[in-house]
Amino acid sequence: MNSRSPAGVVAGVDGSERAAAAAEWAAEEAVRRECPLHLVHAVNTGTVTLSPRTSTAVTDLILRDAEGTLDEALGKLRAAHPALRITGDVVPRDAAEAVLTAAEHAELAVVGTRGHGGFASLLLGSVSLRVAAHSVCPVVVVRDAEPPGGRVLVAVRDERDGPALRFALRAGERTGLPVRALHSWSPAVADVGHMAPMVDEIGEEARLHEQLLARICDPVREEYPDVDFRAGQVSGGTAAALVEASRQAALLVVSRRQPAPHFGLRLGTAVHAVLHHAACPVAVVPL
C-alpha cells in the first residue's frame, strides 16, 4: 500500500455518484495532460471501538469492502480510458489526509463536492473544503452535473494571481476552450448620498482597474498566443460576479492566497462562496 501517488492527477473516490463524477473528470484531465491517474479510497478504521478480536474482524471486513469499491471504480475508468495508466490505493486514514498525502507530489488533485458522509443538505463536504484549503498542488472540486458552459473563467485580483491565470490558460490550451479573465472591484464611495458628484472619480477608478488588468494579463497572454483570451472587469462583489459568470463556464479558476494553517480553513470569502455555489467545477490554485 502506497499512500503517495506517482506524479500526475490524484482523485478521491468513495463509491458515491459525486466521487465517480470527479474521478471521470480527473481521468479526462489526465488524458489531456498525458500523465497517470491515481485513485485514493480512504477508510477511517480508527473509529472501530469493539473488542480487539471483533475489531480486527470488522476492520478486515471494512478494508475488503473498500477494495471492492476501489476495484469497481478502477474497472469503469480503465474501460472508458484504456490508454490511460490508472492506479489506486485503499488508505486506512482520514479521507482529507489521505488525498492530501497522495497529492504531495501530484500535478493536480480532484475531489467531488460531497461523498457519502455528512448531511445530504450540505452543498460542499468537509473533505473537499479541507483538501482545497491545504493542498500544495491545485485542487479541482467537481460537481455531479455536466459543466454548463464552454469557456475557462479565471478570477484576477492583482499581480499575485499569475499562477491562477497561467493555470487557466494552460487549461484553455489543452481543451481548445476560450479563456476569460474577470476582475471585479467595488467603487470607493463612502456615502451613497454623494454618488452623483463622484461619477468622474468612479470613471477614473475604472480606468485604473483597466490598467491594472492589462499589467496582469498582457505579459501572460504572450506566453499562450494560440489561446483565445480576453479580460474584463465588473463593478460589484467578487463572489456574486464569479458565481453568475460560472453559469457559462466549463471551469472556474481561483487563487488561494495564503497557506492554510493546520487548524482552520482560511479560504477567503470569495473562494468559499464559489466552492459552494459555482455552477461548474472550481480549480483552487495555491499561491
Side-chain angles (χ1 to χ4, degrees):
M1 183 181 299
N2 178 18
S3 61
R4 283 178 168 80
S5 74
V9 178
V10 168
V13 296
D14 63 3
S16 67
E17 292 183 5
R18 290 179 175 87
E24 174 58 30
W25 193 99
E28 293 173 359
E29 180 64 14
V31 170
R32 287 190 288 265
R33 290 172 178 250
E34 300 181 341
C35 69
L37 170 65
H38 184 73
L39 303 184
V40 177
H41 180 24
V43 284
N44 195 345
T45 57
T47 58
V48 178
T49 56
L50 304 176
S51 67
R53 178 180 298 177
T54 305
S55 177
T56 299
V58 172
T59 298
D60 290 344
L61 181 62
I62 292 172
L63 291 175
R64 285 198 300 272
D65 182 68
E67 290 284 359
T69 299
L70 177 64
D71 288 343
E72 182 179 359
L74 287 169
K76 290 180 179 178
L77 291 174
R78 284 169 176 163
H81 307 278
L84 178 63
R85 180 190 172 199
I86 310 176
T87 58
D89 278 318
V90 171
V91 183
R93 64 189 306 183
D94 172 82
E97 291 179 2
V99 175
L100 288 169
T101 299
E104 285 180 358
H105 303 291
E107 297 178 21
L108 183 72
V110 181
V111 292
T113 49
R114 282 184 58 256
H116 282 307
F119 297 95
S121 60
L122 294 179
L123 297 172
L124 190 68
S126 62
V127 172
S128 303
L129 279 172
R130 287 170 61 194
V131 172
H134 295 281
S135 176
V136 296
C137 71
V139 175
V140 174
V141 179
V142 179
R143 300 194 175 280
D144 49 346
E146 287 293 323
R151 65 179 62 180
V152 178
L153 177 69
V154 54
V156 174
R157 180 174 166 185
D158 55 37
E159 287 88 347
R160 291 175 293 174
D161 289 314
L165 185 55
R166 287 180 174 86
F167 182 97
L169 285 163
R170 285 193 294 268
E173 189 174 54
R174 284 190 292 266
T175 60
L177 296 175
V179 177
R180 301 292 180 259
L182 182 64
H183 173 70
S184 63
W185 56 278
S186 298
V189 179
D191 186 349
V192 175
H194 293 85
M195 177 69 79
M198 297 183 66
V199 169
D200 289 342
E201 294 181 25
I202 294 175
E204 178 59 25
E205 190 173 0
R207 286 189 289 273
L208 291 175
H209 281 282
E210 188 68 30
Q211 294 170 5
L212 171 64
L213 191 56
R215 287 200 305 273
I216 299 168
C217 295
D218 287 351
V220 182
R221 186 198 310 270
E222 296 175 358
E223 300 174 19
Y224 301 87
D226 297 328
V227 177
D228 178 358
F229 175 50
R230 301 177 188 175
Q233 60 170 306
V234 61
S235 175
T238 299
L242 291 173
V243 169
E244 179 60 30
S246 74
R247 302 182 192 281
Q248 284 77 46
L251 178 68
L252 168 59
V253 183
V254 295
S255 297
R256 193 186 78 209
R257 293 190 163 268
Q258 294 182 1
H262 184 68
F263 298 101
L265 294 178
R266 299 277 301 276
L267 278 174
T269 303
V271 175
H272 197 273
V274 299
L275 283 172
H276 278 277
H277 300 292
C280 66
V282 177
V284 181
V285 179
L287 301 184

PDB file of all heavy atoms in Angstrom, residues 123-153:
ATOM      1  N   LEU A 123     -23.969  21.685   0.640  1.00  0.00           N
ATOM      2  CA  LEU A 123     -23.550  21.844  -0.742  1.00  0.00           C
ATOM      3  C   LEU A 123     -22.137  21.346  -0.963  1.00  0.00           C
ATOM      4  O   LEU A 123     -21.781  20.920  -2.057  1.00  0.00           O
ATOM      5  CB  LEU A 123     -23.658  23.317  -1.149  1.00  0.00           C
ATOM      6  CG  LEU A 123     -25.064  23.915  -1.130  1.00  0.00           C
ATOM      7  CD1 LEU A 123     -24.982  25.422  -1.352  1.00  0.00           C
ATOM      8  CD2 LEU A 123     -25.936  23.270  -2.183  1.00  0.00           C
ATOM      9  N   LEU A 124     -21.315  21.416   0.054  1.00  0.00           N
ATOM     10  CA  LEU A 124     -19.915  21.024  -0.084  1.00  0.00           C
ATOM     11  C   LEU A 124     -19.470  20.338   1.196  1.00  0.00           C
ATOM     12  O   LEU A 124     -19.734  20.820   2.293  1.00  0.00           O
ATOM     13  CB  LEU A 124     -19.050  22.250  -0.349  1.00  0.00           C
ATOM     14  CG  LEU A 124     -17.601  21.991  -0.746  1.00  0.00           C
ATOM     15  CD1 LEU A 124     -17.537  21.360  -2.127  1.00  0.00           C
ATOM     16  CD2 LEU A 124     -16.802  23.275  -0.733  1.00  0.00           C
ATOM     17  N   GLY A 125     -18.806  19.189   1.055  1.00  0.00           N
ATOM     18  CA  GLY A 125     -18.391  18.432   2.215  1.00  0.00           C
ATOM     19  C   GLY A 125     -17.116  18.948   2.847  1.00  0.00           C
ATOM     20  O   GLY A 125     -16.337  19.679   2.239  1.00  0.00           O
ATOM     21  N   SER A 126     -16.868  18.522   4.098  1.00  0.00           N
ATOM     22  CA  SER A 126     -15.690  18.980   4.824  1.00  0.00           C
ATOM     23  C   SER A 126     -14.405  18.457   4.198  1.00  0.00           C
ATOM     24  O   SER A 126     -13.371  19.129   4.235  1.00  0.00           O
ATOM     25  CB  SER A 126     -15.780  18.528   6.288  1.00  0.00           C
ATOM     26  OG  SER A 126     -15.813  17.113   6.377  1.00  0.00           O
ATOM     27  N   VAL A 127     -14.437  17.255   3.606  1.00  0.00           N
ATOM     28  CA  VAL A 127     -13.238  16.710   2.963  1.00  0.00           C
ATOM     29  C   VAL A 127     -12.816  17.601   1.799  1.00  0.00           C
ATOM     30  O   VAL A 127     -11.642  17.966   1.664  1.00  0.00           O
ATOM     31  CB  VAL A 127     -13.485  15.267   2.480  1.00  0.00           C
ATOM     32  CG1 VAL A 127     -12.294  14.784   1.638  1.00  0.00           C
ATOM     33  CG2 VAL A 127     -13.712  14.346   3.667  1.00  0.00           C
ATOM     34  N   SER A 128     -13.775  17.976   0.952  1.00  0.00           N
ATOM     35  CA  SER A 128     -13.459  18.836  -0.193  1.00  0.00           C
ATOM     36  C   SER A 128     -12.909  20.179   0.275  1.00  0.00           C
ATOM     37  O   SER A 128     -11.940  20.694  -0.294  1.00  0.00           O
ATOM     38  CB  SER A 128     -14.715  19.051  -1.046  1.00  0.00           C
ATOM     39  OG  SER A 128     -15.243  17.813  -1.466  1.00  0.00           O
ATOM     40  N   LEU A 129     -13.508  20.741   1.292  1.00  0.00           N
ATOM     41  CA  LEU A 129     -13.037  22.029   1.806  1.00  0.00           C
ATOM     42  C   LEU A 129     -11.619  21.917   2.356  1.00  0.00           C
ATOM     43  O   LEU A 129     -10.769  22.767   2.101  1.00  0.00           O
ATOM     44  CB  LEU A 129     -13.979  22.528   2.905  1.00  0.00           C
ATOM     45  CG  LEU A 129     -15.255  23.223   2.442  1.00  0.00           C
ATOM     46  CD1 LEU A 129     -16.172  23.480   3.636  1.00  0.00           C
ATOM     47  CD2 LEU A 129     -14.933  24.536   1.740  1.00  0.00           C
ATOM     48  N   ARG A 130     -11.350  20.867   3.105  1.00  0.00           N
ATOM     49  CA  ARG A 130     -10.016  20.711   3.702  1.00  0.00           C
ATOM     50  C   ARG A 130      -8.951  20.483   2.633  1.00  0.00           C
ATOM     51  O   ARG A 130      -7.845  21.029   2.728  1.00  0.00           O
ATOM     52  CB  ARG A 130     -10.033  19.563   4.705  1.00  0.00           C
ATOM     53  CG  ARG A 130     -10.780  19.900   5.991  1.00  0.00           C
ATOM     54  CD  ARG A 130     -10.962  18.663   6.828  1.00  0.00           C
ATOM     55  NE  ARG A 130      -9.682  18.060   7.225  1.00  0.00           N
ATOM     56  CZ  ARG A 130      -9.576  16.833   7.736  1.00  0.00           C
ATOM     57  NH1 ARG A 130     -10.647  16.092   7.890  1.00  0.00           N
ATOM     58  NH2 ARG A 130      -8.389  16.366   8.069  1.00  0.00           N
ATOM     59  N   VAL A 131      -9.274  19.687   1.628  1.00  0.00           N
ATOM     60  CA  VAL A 131      -8.306  19.451   0.562  1.00  0.00           C
ATOM     61  C   VAL A 131      -8.034  20.748  -0.196  1.00  0.00           C
ATOM     62  O   VAL A 131      -6.882  21.094  -0.482  1.00  0.00           O
ATOM     63  CB  VAL A 131      -8.800  18.349  -0.390  1.00  0.00           C
ATOM     64  CG1 VAL A 131      -7.885  18.238  -1.606  1.00  0.00           C
ATOM     65  CG2 VAL A 131      -8.862  17.005   0.338  1.00  0.00           C
ATOM     66  N   ALA A 132      -9.097  21.483  -0.519  1.00  0.00           N
ATOM     67  CA  ALA A 132      -8.928  22.752  -1.235  1.00  0.00           C
ATOM     68  C   ALA A 132      -8.125  23.752  -0.410  1.00  0.00           C
ATOM     69  O   ALA A 132      -7.367  24.559  -0.951  1.00  0.00           O
ATOM     70  CB  ALA A 132     -10.286  23.334  -1.602  1.00  0.00           C
ATOM     71  N   ALA A 133      -8.282  23.704   0.914  1.00  0.00           N
ATOM     72  CA  ALA A 133      -7.613  24.680   1.777  1.00  0.00           C
ATOM     73  C   ALA A 133      -6.155  24.358   2.044  1.00  0.00           C
ATOM     74  O   ALA A 133      -5.351  25.265   2.273  1.00  0.00           O
ATOM     75  CB  ALA A 133      -8.358  24.783   3.110  1.00  0.00           C
ATOM     76  N   HIS A 134      -5.782  23.080   2.000  1.00  0.00           N
ATOM     77  CA  HIS A 134      -4.449  22.689   2.459  1.00  0.00           C
ATOM     78  C   HIS A 134      -3.549  22.091   1.395  1.00  0.00           C
ATOM     79  O   HIS A 134      -2.352  21.908   1.641  1.00  0.00           O
ATOM     80  CB  HIS A 134      -4.579  21.693   3.609  1.00  0.00           C
ATOM     81  CG  HIS A 134      -5.211  22.260   4.840  1.00  0.00           C
ATOM     82  ND1 HIS A 134      -4.530  23.039   5.728  1.00  0.00           N
ATOM     83  CD2 HIS A 134      -6.481  22.168   5.308  1.00  0.00           C
ATOM     84  CE1 HIS A 134      -5.346  23.400   6.717  1.00  0.00           C
ATOM     85  NE2 HIS A 134      -6.537  22.887   6.476  1.00  0.00           N
ATOM     86  N   SER A 135      -4.053  21.742   0.226  1.00  0.00           N
ATOM     87  CA  SER A 135      -3.242  21.055  -0.771  1.00  0.00           C
ATOM     88  C   SER A 135      -2.088  21.930  -1.258  1.00  0.00           C
ATOM     89  O   SER A 135      -2.233  23.139  -1.451  1.00  0.00           O
ATOM     90  CB  SER A 135      -4.109  20.639  -1.966  1.00  0.00           C
ATOM     91  OG  SER A 135      -3.326  20.050  -2.970  1.00  0.00           O
ATOM     92  N   VAL A 136      -0.937  21.291  -1.495  1.00  0.00           N
ATOM     93  CA  VAL A 136       0.209  22.011  -2.039  1.00  0.00           C
ATOM     94  C   VAL A 136       0.121  22.128  -3.556  1.00  0.00           C
ATOM     95  O   VAL A 136       0.872  22.902  -4.157  1.00  0.00           O
ATOM     96  CB  VAL A 136       1.532  21.320  -1.647  1.00  0.00           C
ATOM     97  CG1 VAL A 136       1.719  21.356  -0.141  1.00  0.00           C
ATOM     98  CG2 VAL A 136       1.585  19.887  -2.169  1.00  0.00           C
ATOM     99  N   CYS A 137      -0.760  21.366  -4.181  1.00  0.00           N
ATOM    100  CA  CYS A 137      -0.951  21.468  -5.628  1.00  0.00           C
ATOM    101  C   CYS A 137      -2.361  21.989  -5.902  1.00  0.00           C
ATOM    102  O   CYS A 137      -3.209  22.007  -5.003  1.00  0.00           O
ATOM    103  CB  CYS A 137      -0.747  20.111  -6.307  1.00  0.00           C
ATOM    104  SG  CYS A 137      -2.043  18.901  -5.985  1.00  0.00           S
ATOM    105  N   PRO A 138      -2.647  22.431  -7.121  1.00  0.00           N
ATOM    106  CA  PRO A 138      -4.004  22.878  -7.435  1.00  0.00           C
ATOM    107  C   PRO A 138      -5.027  21.766  -7.195  1.00  0.00           C
ATOM    108  O   PRO A 138      -4.737  20.581  -7.368  1.00  0.00           O
ATOM    109  CB  PRO A 138      -3.921  23.245  -8.915  1.00  0.00           C
ATOM    110  CG  PRO A 138      -2.480  23.589  -9.131  1.00  0.00           C
ATOM    111  CD  PRO A 138      -1.718  22.662  -8.245  1.00  0.00           C
ATOM    112  N   VAL A 139      -6.219  22.176  -6.783  1.00  0.00           N
ATOM    113  CA  VAL A 139      -7.311  21.248  -6.496  1.00  0.00           C
ATOM    114  C   VAL A 139      -8.519  21.638  -7.341  1.00  0.00           C
ATOM    115  O   VAL A 139      -8.872  22.822  -7.412  1.00  0.00           O
ATOM    116  CB  VAL A 139      -7.704  21.293  -5.007  1.00  0.00           C
ATOM    117  CG1 VAL A 139      -8.927  20.406  -4.736  1.00  0.00           C
ATOM    118  CG2 VAL A 139      -6.540  20.868  -4.132  1.00  0.00           C
ATOM    119  N   VAL A 140      -9.166  20.655  -7.967  1.00  0.00           N
ATOM    120  CA  VAL A 140     -10.412  20.897  -8.679  1.00  0.00           C
ATOM    121  C   VAL A 140     -11.538  20.203  -7.931  1.00  0.00           C
ATOM    122  O   VAL A 140     -11.463  19.000  -7.653  1.00  0.00           O
ATOM    123  CB  VAL A 140     -10.359  20.394 -10.137  1.00  0.00           C
ATOM    124  CG1 VAL A 140     -11.728  20.535 -10.804  1.00  0.00           C
ATOM    125  CG2 VAL A 140      -9.313  21.172 -10.925  1.00  0.00           C
ATOM    126  N   VAL A 141     -12.562  20.964  -7.584  1.00  0.00           N
ATOM    127  CA  VAL A 141     -13.760  20.430  -6.944  1.00  0.00           C
ATOM    128  C   VAL A 141     -14.834  20.308  -8.025  1.00  0.00           C
ATOM    129  O   VAL A 141     -15.222  21.307  -8.633  1.00  0.00           O
ATOM    130  CB  VAL A 141     -14.237  21.327  -5.793  1.00  0.00           C
ATOM    131  CG1 VAL A 141     -15.506  20.756  -5.152  1.00  0.00           C
ATOM    132  CG2 VAL A 141     -13.132  21.474  -4.743  1.00  0.00           C
ATOM    133  N   VAL A 142     -15.291  19.069  -8.265  1.00  0.00           N
ATOM    134  CA  VAL A 142     -16.188  18.771  -9.388  1.00  0.00           C
ATOM    135  C   VAL A 142     -17.597  18.502  -8.885  1.00  0.00           C
ATOM    136  O   VAL A 142     -17.788  17.721  -7.944  1.00  0.00           O
ATOM    137  CB  VAL A 142     -15.673  17.547 -10.177  1.00  0.00           C
ATOM    138  CG1 VAL A 142     -16.615  17.217 -11.340  1.00  0.00           C
ATOM    139  CG2 VAL A 142     -14.264  17.800 -10.692  1.00  0.00           C
ATOM    140  N   ARG A 143     -18.567  19.131  -9.537  1.00  0.00           N
ATOM    141  CA  ARG A 143     -19.961  18.836  -9.234  1.00  0.00           C
ATOM    142  C   ARG A 143     -20.420  17.654 -10.060  1.00  0.00           C
ATOM    143  O   ARG A 143     -19.813  17.295 -11.069  1.00  0.00           O
ATOM    144  CB  ARG A 143     -20.834  20.058  -9.512  1.00  0.00           C
ATOM    145  CG  ARG A 143     -20.426  21.252  -8.673  1.00  0.00           C
ATOM    146  CD  ARG A 143     -21.457  22.354  -8.671  1.00  0.00           C
ATOM    147  NE  ARG A 143     -21.040  23.403  -7.753  1.00  0.00           N
ATOM    148  CZ  ARG A 143     -21.182  23.356  -6.437  1.00  0.00           C
ATOM    149  NH1 ARG A 143     -21.745  22.299  -5.891  1.00  0.00           N
ATOM    150  NH2 ARG A 143     -20.764  24.339  -5.668  1.00  0.00           N
ATOM    151  N   ASP A 144     -21.547  17.044  -9.648  1.00  0.00           N
ATOM    152  CA  ASP A 144     -22.020  15.857 -10.344  1.00  0.00           C
ATOM    153  C   ASP A 144     -22.675  16.182 -11.678  1.00  0.00           C
ATOM    154  O   ASP A 144     -22.781  15.333 -12.546  1.00  0.00           O
ATOM    155  CB  ASP A 144     -23.006  15.065  -9.476  1.00  0.00           C
ATOM    156  CG  ASP A 144     -24.099  15.933  -8.883  1.00  0.00           C
ATOM    157  OD1 ASP A 144     -23.964  17.160  -8.904  1.00  0.00           O
ATOM    158  OD2 ASP A 144     -25.100  15.368  -8.400  1.00  0.00           O
ATOM    159  N   ALA A 145     -23.120  17.420 -11.864  1.00  0.00           N
ATOM    160  CA  ALA A 145     -23.761  17.793 -13.126  1.00  0.00           C
ATOM    161  C   ALA A 145     -22.719  18.145 -14.181  1.00  0.00           C
ATOM    162  O   ALA A 145     -21.574  18.465 -13.874  1.00  0.00           O
ATOM    163  CB  ALA A 145     -24.694  18.984 -12.913  1.00  0.00           C
ATOM    164  N   GLU A 146     -23.127  18.070 -15.443  1.00  0.00           N
ATOM    165  CA  GLU A 146     -22.236  18.470 -16.526  1.00  0.00           C
ATOM    166  C   GLU A 146     -21.958  19.968 -16.448  1.00  0.00           C
ATOM    167  O   GLU A 146     -22.858  20.758 -16.131  1.00  0.00           O
ATOM    168  CB  GLU A 146     -22.876  18.154 -17.879  1.00  0.00           C
ATOM    169  CG  GLU A 146     -22.901  16.671 -18.219  1.00  0.00           C
ATOM    170  CD  GLU A 146     -21.504  16.111 -18.440  1.00  0.00           C
ATOM    171  OE1 GLU A 146     -20.665  16.820 -19.011  1.00  0.00           O
ATOM    172  OE2 GLU A 146     -21.267  14.967 -18.018  1.00  0.00           O
ATOM    173  N   PRO A 147     -20.730  20.400 -16.730  1.00  0.00           N
ATOM    174  CA  PRO A 147     -20.435  21.838 -16.747  1.00  0.00           C
ATOM    175  C   PRO A 147     -21.364  22.557 -17.724  1.00  0.00           C
ATOM    176  O   PRO A 147     -21.624  22.052 -18.821  1.00  0.00           O
ATOM    177  CB  PRO A 147     -18.976  21.904 -17.205  1.00  0.00           C
ATOM    178  CG  PRO A 147     -18.409  20.577 -16.828  1.00  0.00           C
ATOM    179  CD  PRO A 147     -19.536  19.597 -16.995  1.00  0.00           C
ATOM    180  N   PRO A 148     -21.867  23.712 -17.352  1.00  0.00           N
ATOM    181  CA  PRO A 148     -22.884  24.370 -18.177  1.00  0.00           C
ATOM    182  C   PRO A 148     -22.356  25.106 -19.396  1.00  0.00           C
ATOM    183  O   PRO A 148     -23.102  25.378 -20.322  1.00  0.00           O
ATOM    184  CB  PRO A 148     -23.529  25.370 -17.198  1.00  0.00           C
ATOM    185  CG  PRO A 148     -22.423  25.693 -16.235  1.00  0.00           C
ATOM    186  CD  PRO A 148     -21.622  24.428 -16.096  1.00  0.00           C
ATOM    187  N   GLY A 149     -21.072  25.473 -19.405  1.00  0.00           N
ATOM    188  CA  GLY A 149     -20.591  26.356 -20.468  1.00  0.00           C
ATOM    189  C   GLY A 149     -19.364  25.851 -21.174  1.00  0.00           C
ATOM    190  O   GLY A 149     -18.847  24.776 -20.879  1.00  0.00           O
ATOM    191  N   GLY A 150     -18.898  26.656 -22.112  1.00  0.00           N
ATOM    192  CA  GLY A 150     -17.769  26.283 -22.941  1.00  0.00           C
ATOM    193  C   GLY A 150     -16.633  27.267 -22.881  1.00  0.00           C
ATOM    194  O   GLY A 150     -16.092  27.670 -23.917  1.00  0.00           O
ATOM    195  N   ARG A 151     -16.241  27.672 -21.687  1.00  0.00           N
ATOM    196  CA  ARG A 151     -15.105  28.576 -21.538  1.00  0.00           C
ATOM    197  C   ARG A 151     -14.434  28.316 -20.198  1.00  0.00           C
ATOM    198  O   ARG A 151     -15.039  27.743 -19.280  1.00  0.00           O
ATOM    199  CB  ARG A 151     -15.544  30.035 -21.620  1.00  0.00           C
ATOM    200  CG  ARG A 151     -16.454  30.471 -20.481  1.00  0.00           C
ATOM    201  CD  ARG A 151     -16.852  31.928 -20.584  1.00  0.00           C
ATOM    202  NE  ARG A 151     -17.617  32.198 -21.793  1.00  0.00           N
ATOM    203  CZ  ARG A 151     -18.086  33.394 -22.129  1.00  0.00           C
ATOM    204  NH1 ARG A 151     -17.841  34.433 -21.339  1.00  0.00           N
ATOM    205  NH2 ARG A 151     -18.780  33.552 -23.222  1.00  0.00           N
ATOM    206  N   VAL A 152     -13.191  28.736 -20.087  1.00  0.00           N
ATOM    207  CA  VAL A 152     -12.482  28.701 -18.816  1.00  0.00           C
ATOM    208  C   VAL A 152     -12.502  30.105 -18.244  1.00  0.00           C
ATOM    209  O   VAL A 152     -12.102  31.066 -18.915  1.00  0.00           O
ATOM    210  CB  VAL A 152     -11.027  28.211 -18.996  1.00  0.00           C
ATOM    211  CG1 VAL A 152     -10.292  28.242 -17.655  1.00  0.00           C
ATOM    212  CG2 VAL A 152     -11.009  26.803 -19.584  1.00  0.00           C
ATOM    213  N   LEU A 153     -12.977  30.233 -17.027  1.00  0.00           N
ATOM    214  CA  LEU A 153     -13.086  31.526 -16.359  1.00  0.00           C
ATOM    215  C   LEU A 153     -12.064  31.588 -15.235  1.00  0.00           C
ATOM    216  O   LEU A 153     -11.911  30.636 -14.473  1.00  0.00           O
ATOM    217  CB  LEU A 153     -14.498  31.689 -15.792  1.00  0.00           C
ATOM    218  CG  LEU A 153     -14.794  32.954 -14.987  1.00  0.00           C
ATOM    219  CD1 LEU A 153     -14.790  34.175 -15.893  1.00  0.00           C
ATOM    220  CD2 LEU A 153     -16.151  32.824 -14.285  1.00  0.00           C
TER     221      LEU A 153
END
